[in-house]
Amino acid sequence: MRIFTKKLPHPDLPAEEKAQLLQNAEYQETMVESTFMYLTLDLPTAPLYKDEKEQLIIPQVPLFSILAKFNGATEKEYKTYKENFLKRFQLTKLPPYLIFCIKRFTKNNFFVEKNPTIVNFPITNVDLREYLSEEVQAVHTNTTYDLIANIVHDGKPSEGSYRIHVLHHGTGKWYELQDLQVTDILPQMITLSEAYIQIWKRREEDETNQQGA
């Protein structure tokens, strides 16, 4: 993965001083190549207020909206104690398996908050070609992934529980596991859950041909 980083001047500086700093080498964009174990997907900020029926609104977001973080063009601001940075990310390789970690939990000085946003995602046929650089696209034959496991967090951050949805490859059926309990589950029900960690498997050439047949 390529990570593009650009340092930002302090927001309280006068405009002229900011313009001068942006000319310095320290504030020019840099690029590094990095490996990754998983991809962290950032959720939009959840609403703080209730609707007219006094119920909290649970927002929804498409998977491809939060995957846009890795398209090489979307910029995200990162803040440290002293400095601010803009970063862009672009994938340079698609491994046989991809792990998505949906960032539901944020921690401040007092407690942990959970974002309940529902991610709308297809179970199969997720094509990640557009998140690759152009030169890599030319050599990457297979860029389509299917979901094989989905870990869900239910409840409050400190009192919640976990469930896992697993695809049985031999039968194509989905099962839900919680502790020692195993039950069948329909694929369309999986997409309604508060997905936390997902494992995706890249289709190989013969699998892609079978899907298209």
Side-chain angles (χ1 to χ4, degrees):
M1 177 166 57
R2 290 173 181 164
I3 304 176
F4 303 86
T5 305
K6 181 167 56 178
K7 184 179 177 181
L8 297 176
H10 194 280
D12 295 334
L13 291 176
E16 291 185 1
E17 189 171 346
K18 287 183 183 178
Q20 291 178 350
L21 287 174
L22 289 174
Q23 302 301 316
N24 297 342
E26 181 184 0
Y27 290 86
Q28 302 306 303
E29 185 174 77
T30 60
M31 188 273 286
V32 297
E33 299 272 357
S34 175
T35 57
F36 63 89
M37 294 292 293
Y38 57 87
L39 298 178
T40 301
L41 306 183
D42 305 311
L43 292 173
T45 304
L48 301 176
Y49 305 103
K50 297 181 179 181
D51 63 11
E52 63 274 8
K53 297 180 180 179
E54 292 299 309
Q55 294 179 338
L56 282 174
I57 302 171
I58 299 180
Q60 300 184 30
V61 62
L63 175 65
F64 291 102
S65 292
I66 55 178
L67 274 173
K69 172 182 178 179
F70 299 99
N71 63 10
T74 301
E75 293 182 324
K76 180 176 173 60
E77 185 172 353
Y78 291 81
K79 298 181 179 181
T80 65
Y81 180 71
K82 294 182 178 180
E83 299 174 317
N84 295 351
F85 298 89
L86 280 180
K87 290 190 176 184
R88 296 186 292 120
F89 303 89
Q90 186 172 46
L91 301 181
T92 55
K93 186 178 181 180
L94 292 177
Y97 294 90
L98 269 177
I99 300 174
F100 293 164
C101 181
I102 299 171
K103 192 175 181 182
R104 292 200 172 274
F105 302 99
T106 54
K107 185 177 182 180
N108 55 34
N109 293 330
F110 304 100
F111 52 85
V112 177
E113 293 180 292
K114 179 184 175 183
N115 189 325
T117 299
I118 298 296
V119 179
N120 297 321
F121 56 91
I123 297 293
T124 61
N125 202 33
V126 172
D127 193 350
L128 301 183
R129 179 170 295 276
E130 66 179 280
Y131 306 103
L132 296 170
S133 57
E134 291 185 4
E135 67 272 19
V136 177
Q137 287 184 18
V139 298
H140 238 300
T141 305
N142 300 326
T143 58
T144 302
Y145 284 78
D146 298 322
L147 185 69
I148 60 172
N150 181 59
I151 299 174
V152 179
H153 182 272
D154 297 312
K156 298 179 180 179
S158 58
E159 304 171 2
S161 60
Y162 292 91
R163 296 178 283 135
I164 181 170
H165 303 130
V166 179
L167 174 67
H168 186 272
H169 186 70
T171 62
K173 293 183 178 180
W174 281 91
Y175 294 91
E176 180 176 282
L177 288 71
Q178 188 169 23
D179 298 329
L180 298 178
Q181 185 176 1
V182 180
T183 56
D184 298 353
I185 187 170
L186 296 173
Q188 55 266 36
M189 298 301 296
I190 297 173
T191 62
L192 303 177
S193 62
E194 295 181 13
Y196 180 37
I197 296 174
Q198 296 183 327
I199 302 176
W200 296 79
K201 181 180 182 295
R202 190 183 66 201
R203 285 186 190 172
E204 300 306 325
E205 189 66 37
D206 55 342
E207 294 174 316
T208 302
N209 292 336
Q210 290 174 8
Q211 291 286 338

